[in-house]
Structure formats: structure tokens, C-alpha cells
Amino acid sequence: MDHISLNVHELTENWTLLEHERELVSGKRGPTRLGFAVLLKFHTRYGRFPRARSEVPDRAVDFLARQVRVPAAELDSYDWTGRTIEYHRAQIRRHFGFRECTVADAEEVTAYLTEHVAREERRPERVRAELLARLRAQSIEPPTPGRCDRIVKAALRAAEESLTAWISSRLTAASVRRIVSLVDDGDAVRDDTADSRNESPPSTATATATAIGLTETGLRETGLRDIGLRDIGLRKIKEAPAPALALAPGDLDRRAMLVEIDKLLAIRAVELPPDLFGGIAPAVVAGWRARAEAESPSRLRTHPLPLRVTLLAALLHQREREIADSLVELLISISGRGPGRKRAPGDAARG
């Protein structure tokens, strides 16, 4: 609670007792009168009761004390745990039409957050704000902070389980096996059958090599043909494009480019559906990708299969586009110069 930010306008707007509220206060005396007024206006402002005296701004107490004509210091004598405060809370709830949060209420709001909030908003603090807004709209007093935290965590977990189950169900069994193999012991992609070792089409590599001026013999010398899905691990997939790709075409390290091509072929061999993440908020997909990048293979292996597959699929989905975009830009640049042309000394100045 920010005690410093209260100015005269805020005090007048939020802490002034209205006529019907004065009637509720009128039958009480001393600390009980001031304590009731504090509970009443705090609930009006925040939709809940203060859990302790420390939650109430001192300036608000002084402002209310002058209105009910009770010294502000007498609030120290108000019992924040006994029968009196329970009676006062019940009286205020009846006045505003509020009620305490029941188990059924908690289950209903968790289901609401799961379906309408947590599928697109993964930040706990934002989900918590939606929780409090939902409860207030239904005239339900929020539960304790600890219980609110549990509701938020339950909604986030349920939404993630629902989303990841849906994502993983859209993949073929073969795709799931290839994705999961990224975090197998040894951190290498391993195909489940001997036939799958030849899934990366040699013609794609050959066409790309030709575009940058390599002959078939030169392609074999690079070793690209000897690199298959088994040799591309999660660590390499995570790596940003090689520094050579950022250089001018004349300085291009062709071997580094072929490594990027190999990554692209390995990712495409997984055969992710183009619309795999259709209907999922981009921020959610980006969050999954970030988790896959940040977590070690051993940590990723601990997740339930649908979550593990979804995190890795999000990483592959976005890395595929990034690698393809960088290679397309580079190939366009090379095609403009013509295959095999040497870079002239004045090219950089003219470019």
C-alpha cells in the first residue's frame, strides 16, 4: 500500500464518508467508531478489508478521524482479530452486497481464468489482477493473498496443460519422436529408423551450394553430405547465425553458411505443421521458445511430454523462420553478384 501518494483530491474522492455511510457509523463510539469507518472506506476503495492496521494509510486515518470526531490515536485500541471486527465485516458485507469467497467460488474463478485469461496472459501479476477484478465484479470478497496465489498458479498450470496437450496432439508420432530426441542423452537428434536418416533432401543442399558457387565436388568437400539429423543437437539449434553470415558476400565463410543450411534442413525434417501455433497468442509462443532456450536438456527432460514437445516445437518453429530469412537475404545478395564473381576492391565503397 502506497501511503505517500495520497493527496487531498484522493482523500476527498475515496475516503469521504457519504450520508448513508455516516448512518452506519453513527451508532458506534470511540475506537469502534473509527475502526468501523476505516473498514468501511477501505472496502469501498479496494473491494476487501485491510488485514492489519499497517495497510491503512496514516493520512486516510487522520482524514476519517476528523469526520467521525475521534482522535486518530484511538485506532491503536481497535481489536483487529476479535469478535467486534468480525461483526463489523459482516455488517459492511451486507451493506455492499458482498460475501466471502467459498470453495465453489474459487473453483469457478479458477476455471474462468483458465479459459479466458491464462491461455493468452502468462504473467502471474496480470492474471492476479484479472482475478481480483472478477471477484469484485461478482461482489465476492477476495480470499487471503496465499489463496489468491494458489488460484493464479492453478489457472496458469491448467491453461498450460490444455494448450500443450492440444499442440502436441497436432503432431504425428514421428514428429514427436524427432522433437523429443533433441533432449535425449547426448543432446543430439537421433532418428528412430534407419530410413529417416535420408529425410533431408540432398537436392536442397546441392541447389544451395550451387547458388553460392560450389561445385558438386566442393559440396562433398565441405562435409555437408556427412552431416545428418543425428549430428544437429539442441545446442546448435539454439545458436544464432554464424558471424560469417553478417559479413559482406565477398567475405562469406561458405562452410559456416552450410552449417546454417544443415540446421534448416534438420528442423524441416521434423515436419512441423505450418499452422501448428495458429490461434495461440504470439507472446505465449515466444515465452515457450524462451523457456526452451533457457533450460538445459536435463531440465527439459523433466517436463511432462506435451509440455516438453511444445517448448521444443516453439523453439524449432521460430528458429526455422529466423534461419530461413537470413539465408534468403544472403542468397539474394549472392545472386545479384552472380555465382563465382570475386568481390572488387571498390565494391564496398559503391555498396
Side-chain angles (χ1 to χ4, degrees), residues 39-58:
L39 294 180
L40 179 64
K41 295 310 295 183
F42 192 98
H43 194 285
T44 303
R45 178 71 179 86
Y46 299 106
R48 65 174 180 85
F49 295 111
R51 287 174 283 274
R53 164 66 180 86
S54 59
E55 276 203 285
V56 186
D58 291 336

PDB file of all heavy atoms in Angstrom, residues 39-58:
ATOM      1  N   LEU A  39     -12.657   0.411   8.127  1.00  0.00           N
ATOM      2  CA  LEU A  39     -13.018  -0.802   7.383  1.00  0.00           C
ATOM      3  C   LEU A  39     -13.969  -0.476   6.231  1.00  0.00           C
ATOM      4  O   LEU A  39     -13.830  -1.000   5.119  1.00  0.00           O
ATOM      5  CB  LEU A  39     -13.678  -1.817   8.313  1.00  0.00           C
ATOM      6  CG  LEU A  39     -12.837  -2.442   9.426  1.00  0.00           C
ATOM      7  CD1 LEU A  39     -13.695  -3.426  10.219  1.00  0.00           C
ATOM      8  CD2 LEU A  39     -11.613  -3.140   8.868  1.00  0.00           C
ATOM      9  N   LEU A  40     -14.928   0.381   6.507  1.00  0.00           N
ATOM     10  CA  LEU A  40     -15.948   0.717   5.520  1.00  0.00           C
ATOM     11  C   LEU A  40     -15.343   1.375   4.278  1.00  0.00           C
ATOM     12  O   LEU A  40     -15.605   0.961   3.136  1.00  0.00           O
ATOM     13  CB  LEU A  40     -16.979   1.645   6.155  1.00  0.00           C
ATOM     14  CG  LEU A  40     -18.127   2.131   5.264  1.00  0.00           C
ATOM     15  CD1 LEU A  40     -18.994   0.967   4.823  1.00  0.00           C
ATOM     16  CD2 LEU A  40     -18.963   3.186   6.002  1.00  0.00           C
ATOM     17  N   LYS A  41     -14.513   2.402   4.493  1.00  0.00           N
ATOM     18  CA  LYS A  41     -13.951   3.123   3.350  1.00  0.00           C
ATOM     19  C   LYS A  41     -12.844   2.339   2.651  1.00  0.00           C
ATOM     20  O   LYS A  41     -12.676   2.445   1.429  1.00  0.00           O
ATOM     21  CB  LYS A  41     -13.420   4.493   3.792  1.00  0.00           C
ATOM     22  CG  LYS A  41     -14.501   5.436   4.282  1.00  0.00           C
ATOM     23  CD  LYS A  41     -15.683   5.547   3.329  1.00  0.00           C
ATOM     24  CE  LYS A  41     -15.332   6.158   1.984  1.00  0.00           C
ATOM     25  NZ  LYS A  41     -16.527   6.327   1.106  1.00  0.00           N
ATOM     26  N   PHE A  42     -12.105   1.539   3.396  1.00  0.00           N
ATOM     27  CA  PHE A  42     -11.092   0.696   2.762  1.00  0.00           C
ATOM     28  C   PHE A  42     -11.771  -0.309   1.833  1.00  0.00           C
ATOM     29  O   PHE A  42     -11.321  -0.534   0.709  1.00  0.00           O
ATOM     30  CB  PHE A  42     -10.272  -0.029   3.837  1.00  0.00           C
ATOM     31  CG  PHE A  42      -9.032  -0.697   3.318  1.00  0.00           C
ATOM     32  CD1 PHE A  42      -7.798  -0.092   3.416  1.00  0.00           C
ATOM     33  CD2 PHE A  42      -9.098  -1.951   2.727  1.00  0.00           C
ATOM     34  CE1 PHE A  42      -6.642  -0.707   2.931  1.00  0.00           C
ATOM     35  CE2 PHE A  42      -7.959  -2.578   2.233  1.00  0.00           C
ATOM     36  CZ  PHE A  42      -6.730  -1.950   2.337  1.00  0.00           C
ATOM     37  N   HIS A  43     -12.871  -0.904   2.304  1.00  0.00           N
ATOM     38  CA  HIS A  43     -13.599  -1.860   1.468  1.00  0.00           C
ATOM     39  C   HIS A  43     -14.191  -1.174   0.249  1.00  0.00           C
ATOM     40  O   HIS A  43     -14.194  -1.736  -0.858  1.00  0.00           O
ATOM     41  CB  HIS A  43     -14.706  -2.521   2.291  1.00  0.00           C
ATOM     42  CG  HIS A  43     -15.290  -3.744   1.639  1.00  0.00           C
ATOM     43  ND1 HIS A  43     -16.165  -3.673   0.575  1.00  0.00           N
ATOM     44  CD2 HIS A  43     -15.119  -5.074   1.898  1.00  0.00           C
ATOM     45  CE1 HIS A  43     -16.513  -4.902   0.202  1.00  0.00           C
ATOM     46  NE2 HIS A  43     -15.893  -5.770   0.979  1.00  0.00           N
ATOM     47  N   THR A  44     -14.685   0.044   0.413  1.00  0.00           N
ATOM     48  CA  THR A  44     -15.216   0.800  -0.714  1.00  0.00           C
ATOM     49  C   THR A  44     -14.140   1.032  -1.769  1.00  0.00           C
ATOM     50  O   THR A  44     -14.391   0.933  -2.972  1.00  0.00           O
ATOM     51  CB  THR A  44     -15.764   2.155  -0.238  1.00  0.00           C
ATOM     52  OG1 THR A  44     -16.762   1.932   0.755  1.00  0.00           O
ATOM     53  CG2 THR A  44     -16.375   2.938  -1.393  1.00  0.00           C
ATOM     54  N   ARG A  45     -12.927   1.305  -1.299  1.00  0.00           N
ATOM     55  CA  ARG A  45     -11.827   1.636  -2.204  1.00  0.00           C
ATOM     56  C   ARG A  45     -11.232   0.403  -2.878  1.00  0.00           C
ATOM     57  O   ARG A  45     -10.923   0.423  -4.066  1.00  0.00           O
ATOM     58  CB  ARG A  45     -10.721   2.369  -1.406  1.00  0.00           C
ATOM     59  CG  ARG A  45      -9.491   2.739  -2.218  1.00  0.00           C
ATOM     60  CD  ARG A  45      -9.810   3.850  -3.180  1.00  0.00           C
ATOM     61  NE  ARG A  45      -8.627   4.231  -3.939  1.00  0.00           N
ATOM     62  CZ  ARG A  45      -8.218   3.654  -5.057  1.00  0.00           C
ATOM     63  NH1 ARG A  45      -8.904   2.628  -5.560  1.00  0.00           N
ATOM     64  NH2 ARG A  45      -7.147   4.080  -5.692  1.00  0.00           N
ATOM     65  N   TYR A  46     -11.050  -0.691  -2.121  1.00  0.00           N
ATOM     66  CA  TYR A  46     -10.296  -1.839  -2.629  1.00  0.00           C
ATOM     67  C   TYR A  46     -11.110  -3.117  -2.792  1.00  0.00           C
ATOM     68  O   TYR A  46     -10.589  -4.119  -3.285  1.00  0.00           O
ATOM     69  CB  TYR A  46      -9.096  -2.121  -1.715  1.00  0.00           C
ATOM     70  CG  TYR A  46      -8.137  -0.967  -1.636  1.00  0.00           C
ATOM     71  CD1 TYR A  46      -8.084  -0.162  -0.489  1.00  0.00           C
ATOM     72  CD2 TYR A  46      -7.306  -0.655  -2.699  1.00  0.00           C
ATOM     73  CE1 TYR A  46      -7.208   0.916  -0.418  1.00  0.00           C
ATOM     74  CE2 TYR A  46      -6.423   0.420  -2.642  1.00  0.00           C
ATOM     75  CZ  TYR A  46      -6.386   1.206  -1.487  1.00  0.00           C
ATOM     76  OH  TYR A  46      -5.528   2.270  -1.427  1.00  0.00           O
ATOM     77  N   GLY A  47     -12.349  -3.124  -2.391  1.00  0.00           N
ATOM     78  CA  GLY A  47     -13.171  -4.320  -2.539  1.00  0.00           C
ATOM     79  C   GLY A  47     -12.819  -5.426  -1.565  1.00  0.00           C
ATOM     80  O   GLY A  47     -13.210  -6.581  -1.759  1.00  0.00           O
ATOM     81  N   ARG A  48     -12.090  -5.106  -0.526  1.00  0.00           N
ATOM     82  CA  ARG A  48     -11.729  -6.078   0.511  1.00  0.00           C
ATOM     83  C   ARG A  48     -11.431  -5.319   1.795  1.00  0.00           C
ATOM     84  O   ARG A  48     -11.399  -4.074   1.809  1.00  0.00           O
ATOM     85  CB  ARG A  48     -10.501  -6.891   0.099  1.00  0.00           C
ATOM     86  CG  ARG A  48      -9.225  -6.076  -0.031  1.00  0.00           C
ATOM     87  CD  ARG A  48      -8.016  -6.959  -0.301  1.00  0.00           C
ATOM     88  NE  ARG A  48      -6.788  -6.188  -0.436  1.00  0.00           N
ATOM     89  CZ  ARG A  48      -6.023  -5.790   0.569  1.00  0.00           C
ATOM     90  NH1 ARG A  48      -6.383  -6.052   1.834  1.00  0.00           N
ATOM     91  NH2 ARG A  48      -4.918  -5.103   0.343  1.00  0.00           N
ATOM     92  N   PHE A  49     -11.173  -6.065   2.873  1.00  0.00           N
ATOM     93  CA  PHE A  49     -10.837  -5.450   4.152  1.00  0.00           C
ATOM     94  C   PHE A  49      -9.329  -5.425   4.365  1.00  0.00           C
ATOM     95  O   PHE A  49      -8.618  -6.309   3.869  1.00  0.00           O
ATOM     96  CB  PHE A  49     -11.500  -6.218   5.305  1.00  0.00           C
ATOM     97  CG  PHE A  49     -12.995  -6.161   5.286  1.00  0.00           C
ATOM     98  CD1 PHE A  49     -13.743  -7.302   5.004  1.00  0.00           C
ATOM     99  CD2 PHE A  49     -13.660  -4.970   5.537  1.00  0.00           C
ATOM    100  CE1 PHE A  49     -15.123  -7.250   4.971  1.00  0.00           C
ATOM    101  CE2 PHE A  49     -15.048  -4.914   5.513  1.00  0.00           C
ATOM    102  CZ  PHE A  49     -15.783  -6.057   5.227  1.00  0.00           C
ATOM    103  N   PRO A  50      -8.837  -4.436   5.109  1.00  0.00           N
ATOM    104  CA  PRO A  50      -7.405  -4.441   5.431  1.00  0.00           C
ATOM    105  C   PRO A  50      -7.095  -5.610   6.363  1.00  0.00           C
ATOM    106  O   PRO A  50      -7.897  -5.975   7.213  1.00  0.00           O
ATOM    107  CB  PRO A  50      -7.189  -3.099   6.140  1.00  0.00           C
ATOM    108  CG  PRO A  50      -8.525  -2.750   6.709  1.00  0.00           C
ATOM    109  CD  PRO A  50      -9.531  -3.295   5.734  1.00  0.00           C
ATOM    110  N   ARG A  51      -5.927  -6.211   6.173  1.00  0.00           N
ATOM    111  CA  ARG A  51      -5.551  -7.347   7.016  1.00  0.00           C
ATOM    112  C   ARG A  51      -4.879  -6.908   8.301  1.00  0.00           C
ATOM    113  O   ARG A  51      -4.744  -7.701   9.231  1.00  0.00           O
ATOM    114  CB  ARG A  51      -4.634  -8.284   6.221  1.00  0.00           C
ATOM    115  CG  ARG A  51      -5.387  -9.079   5.155  1.00  0.00           C
ATOM    116  CD  ARG A  51      -4.452  -9.878   4.282  1.00  0.00           C
ATOM    117  NE  ARG A  51      -3.781  -9.045   3.304  1.00  0.00           N
ATOM    118  CZ  ARG A  51      -4.297  -8.735   2.119  1.00  0.00           C
ATOM    119  NH1 ARG A  51      -5.492  -9.211   1.775  1.00  0.00           N
ATOM    120  NH2 ARG A  51      -3.645  -7.965   1.270  1.00  0.00           N
ATOM    121  N   ALA A  52      -4.453  -5.656   8.350  1.00  0.00           N
ATOM    122  CA  ALA A  52      -3.816  -5.127   9.556  1.00  0.00           C
ATOM    123  C   ALA A  52      -3.837  -3.606   9.481  1.00  0.00           C
ATOM    124  O   ALA A  52      -4.070  -3.022   8.425  1.00  0.00           O
ATOM    125  CB  ALA A  52      -2.377  -5.640   9.679  1.00  0.00           C
ATOM    126  N   ARG A  53      -3.578  -2.975  10.632  1.00  0.00           N
ATOM    127  CA  ARG A  53      -3.536  -1.512  10.684  1.00  0.00           C
ATOM    128  C   ARG A  53      -2.497  -0.949   9.720  1.00  0.00           C
ATOM    129  O   ARG A  53      -2.700   0.134   9.138  1.00  0.00           O
ATOM    130  CB  ARG A  53      -3.207  -1.089  12.129  1.00  0.00           C
ATOM    131  CG  ARG A  53      -2.759   0.356  12.324  1.00  0.00           C
ATOM    132  CD  ARG A  53      -3.873   1.333  12.003  1.00  0.00           C
ATOM    133  NE  ARG A  53      -3.457   2.706  12.191  1.00  0.00           N
ATOM    134  CZ  ARG A  53      -2.844   3.424  11.251  1.00  0.00           C
ATOM    135  NH1 ARG A  53      -2.573   2.893  10.062  1.00  0.00           N
ATOM    136  NH2 ARG A  53      -2.521   4.687  11.472  1.00  0.00           N
ATOM    137  N   SER A  54      -1.415  -1.669   9.495  1.00  0.00           N
ATOM    138  CA  SER A  54      -0.330  -1.166   8.647  1.00  0.00           C
ATOM    139  C   SER A  54      -0.745  -0.995   7.192  1.00  0.00           C
ATOM    140  O   SER A  54      -0.066  -0.283   6.446  1.00  0.00           O
ATOM    141  CB  SER A  54       0.873  -2.107   8.741  1.00  0.00           C
ATOM    142  OG  SER A  54       0.509  -3.413   8.320  1.00  0.00           O
ATOM    143  N   GLU A  55      -1.836  -1.602   6.780  1.00  0.00           N
ATOM    144  CA  GLU A  55      -2.297  -1.464   5.383  1.00  0.00           C
ATOM    145  C   GLU A  55      -3.045  -0.162   5.146  1.00  0.00           C
ATOM    146  O   GLU A  55      -3.262   0.222   3.993  1.00  0.00           O
ATOM    147  CB  GLU A  55      -3.212  -2.635   5.013  1.00  0.00           C
ATOM    148  CG  GLU A  55      -2.485  -3.883   4.566  1.00  0.00           C
ATOM    149  CD  GLU A  55      -3.381  -4.761   3.720  1.00  0.00           C
ATOM    150  OE1 GLU A  55      -4.273  -5.414   4.285  1.00  0.00           O
ATOM    151  OE2 GLU A  55      -3.191  -4.784   2.496  1.00  0.00           O
ATOM    152  N   VAL A  56      -3.442   0.500   6.202  1.00  0.00           N
ATOM    153  CA  VAL A  56      -4.251   1.709   6.048  1.00  0.00           C
ATOM    154  C   VAL A  56      -3.340   2.931   6.078  1.00  0.00           C
ATOM    155  O   VAL A  56      -2.587   3.125   7.048  1.00  0.00           O
ATOM    156  CB  VAL A  56      -5.299   1.822   7.168  1.00  0.00           C
ATOM    157  CG1 VAL A  56      -6.230   3.011   6.904  1.00  0.00           C
ATOM    158  CG2 VAL A  56      -6.099   0.533   7.280  1.00  0.00           C
ATOM    159  N   PRO A  57      -3.384   3.779   5.062  1.00  0.00           N
ATOM    160  CA  PRO A  57      -2.536   4.980   5.048  1.00  0.00           C
ATOM    161  C   PRO A  57      -2.833   5.888   6.246  1.00  0.00           C
ATOM    162  O   PRO A  57      -3.995   6.102   6.603  1.00  0.00           O
ATOM    163  CB  PRO A  57      -2.908   5.661   3.735  1.00  0.00           C
ATOM    164  CG  PRO A  57      -3.478   4.577   2.886  1.00  0.00           C
ATOM    165  CD  PRO A  57      -4.167   3.641   3.821  1.00  0.00           C
ATOM    166  N   ASP A  58      -1.798   6.405   6.856  1.00  0.00           N
ATOM    167  CA  ASP A  58      -1.974   7.278   8.018  1.00  0.00           C
ATOM    168  C   ASP A  58      -2.793   8.512   7.671  1.00  0.00           C
ATOM    169  O   ASP A  58      -3.620   8.974   8.479  1.00  0.00           O
ATOM    170  CB  ASP A  58      -0.608   7.709   8.571  1.00  0.00           C
ATOM    171  CG  ASP A  58       0.146   6.556   9.217  1.00  0.00           C
ATOM    172  OD1 ASP A  58      -0.520   5.582   9.644  1.00  0.00           O
ATOM    173  OD2 ASP A  58       1.381   6.622   9.300  1.00  0.00           O
TER     174      ASP A  58
END
